[in-house]
Amino acid sequence: TRRHQVMCVVDGQPHCSKHLRRADRSRRFICETHKAACAREPGVVFASDEVHPCEICGQLTCRSHKRPCDWCGAAVCVKDFAAAARCVTCAKLAPSADIPDEIVSAAARLVPRGAAKSWSLARDGGRYVVEINLGWTRRVVFTVVHGTAEAIHVRRHSIFGTTVDS
């Protein structure tokens, strides 16, 4: 009956109150279909819209266990950080002369032709992190998802600070 039904906050559908539970942190009502867990806190129940995949590990992570990498801007689990607020992928950046064509194509939209002094590249399970040295402590750092030629999370670092391309 209607008086025993409660709405799941994720799908907005009515469910019998016996088949709903409250998310542990937000205390919102969720059905079994929309129950999720954070990879860092497997015993805590979250609503499926309260956890999101991180770009390095692909695991679902809640807001309190995820933050952006200061160097590449990717959403990263707190366990995937190396020194100096950089993710583990950025920590592996190494000079490279053999740059894949899709990365060169993505970089062509970001830096003038011939402006790159050197390239550094790192790869993880789902993306490349690219650092282009423009000289005078200027760096353009961006990520490219494997199989695409589109730069995402573009950051420009210099002695004056960091700017984020939108």
Side-chain angles (χ1 to χ4, degrees):
T1 66
R2 282 193 97 27
R3 63 186 261 220
H4 293 288
Q5 291 180 341
V6 179
M7 303 288 218
C8 171
V9 295
V10 178
D11 65 12
Q13 298 297 313
H15 297 272
C16 173
S17 58
K18 291 180 182 180
H19 298 112
L20 287 175
R21 68 164 293 162
R22 288 190 182 269
D24 291 336
R25 296 274 166 78
S26 66
R27 306 304 297 157
R28 298 163 54 208
F29 283 111
I30 53 173
C31 65
E32 280 296 314
T33 305
H34 294 103
K35 190 167 79 168
C38 171
R40 302 298 299 159
E41 289 186 88
V44 178
V45 175
F46 290 91
S48 60
D49 63 353
E50 296 172 338
V51 293
H52 306 282
C54 286
E55 294 176 71
I56 292 178
C57 64
Q59 293 180 329
L60 293 176
T61 308
C62 66
R63 184 179 295 133
S64 65
H65 290 109
K66 178 178 75 169
R67 67 183 185 99
C69 172
D70 289 345
W71 199 243
C72 71
V76 182
C77 291
V78 293
K79 71 174 180 58
D80 290 324
F81 273 93
R86 291 188 187 187
C87 67
V88 293
T89 307
C90 288
K92 293 187 285 187
L93 280 165
S96 179
D98 185 27
I99 308 297
D101 291 339
E102 63 267 19
I103 293 175
V104 173
S105 178
R109 295 183 212 111
L110 301 174
V111 296
R113 186 179 188 105
K117 306 289 185 216
S118 64
W119 296 65
S120 293
L121 189 66
R123 180 182 178 150
D124 58 33
R127 69 197 177 110
Y128 291 99
V129 175
V130 183
E131 177 185 89
I132 301 175
N133 178 357
L134 300 175
W136 288 88
T137 72
R138 295 176 301 142
R139 307 271 193 278
V140 175
V141 179
F142 60 94
T143 59
V144 177
V145 175
H146 294 176
T148 70
E150 190 68 33
I152 55 174
H153 301 299
V154 180
R155 292 182 169 233
R156 297 174 187 276
H157 302 282
S158 74
I159 195 168
F160 302 110
T162 299
T163 58
V164 178
D165 289 9
S166 51

